[in-house]
Amino acid sequence: NSKLRHVEKDVLIPQIMRDRAKELCSDKVQAFTKCCQETGFLMVVKCRRENTALKDCLVGYYSDPSFYEECKTEYLKQREEYRATGIKKKRQKVTSNV
């Protein structure tokens, strides 16, 4: 049964999308994090370019219908495994300050 509940469509699948997008944009996450660490209070002004590059990368994935379908498929596979085994698979967290 691949019917999705509201919480799955609006919360759980978008969470997978955010996690995967951060992994795929990790070079831009690192550049923005490094800039912020180096500039302190002036990061709003000094890191604008890095922030824009990061946002563009993330939004590119968030608005890609095929990326949504990939993440939906991944979620459904996890849900199926959980229903079969009762064991929840933990996603690897990306360690970053974003």
Side-chain angles (χ1 to χ4, degrees):
N1 181 7
S2 62
K3 185 145 174 68
L4 294 172
R5 295 174 301 157
H6 166 73
V7 72
E8 293 172 317
K9 280 191 276 191
D10 296 343
V11 178
L12 300 175
I13 293 171
Q15 182 60 52
I16 291 174
M17 291 177 74
R18 280 190 298 276
D19 292 346
R20 289 201 53 215
K22 282 182 190 173
E23 291 168 13
L24 295 166
C25 297
S26 65
D27 57 331
K28 289 162 185 64
V29 170
Q30 288 172 356
F32 179 67
T33 302
K34 184 175 182 230
C35 180
C36 290
Q37 288 170 343
E38 290 173 354
T39 53
F41 292 117
L42 297 174
M43 67 183 174
V44 174
V45 176
K46 299 248 181 183
C47 301
R48 199 172 285 151
R49 186 178 38 139
E50 290 83 354
N51 188 32
T52 299
L54 174 56
K55 275 200 251 182
D56 289 348
C57 184
L58 294 173
V59 169
Y61 283 109
Y62 298 158
S63 58
D64 180 356
S66 64
F67 185 66
Y68 175 84
E69 289 301 320
E70 273 179 49
C71 294
K72 178 174 140 185
T73 300
E74 181 181 330
Y75 171 77
L76 289 171
K77 185 176 167 211
Q78 289 173 10
R79 185 178 77 173
E80 187 180 317
E81 286 174 17
Y82 174 72
R83 287 178 176 176
T85 65
I87 299 168
K88 188 169 184 170
K89 183 182 172 204
K90 290 188 178 184
R91 273 192 59 77
Q92 243 184 339
K93 281 285 184 191
V94 178
T95 52
S96 74
N97 297 336
V98 178

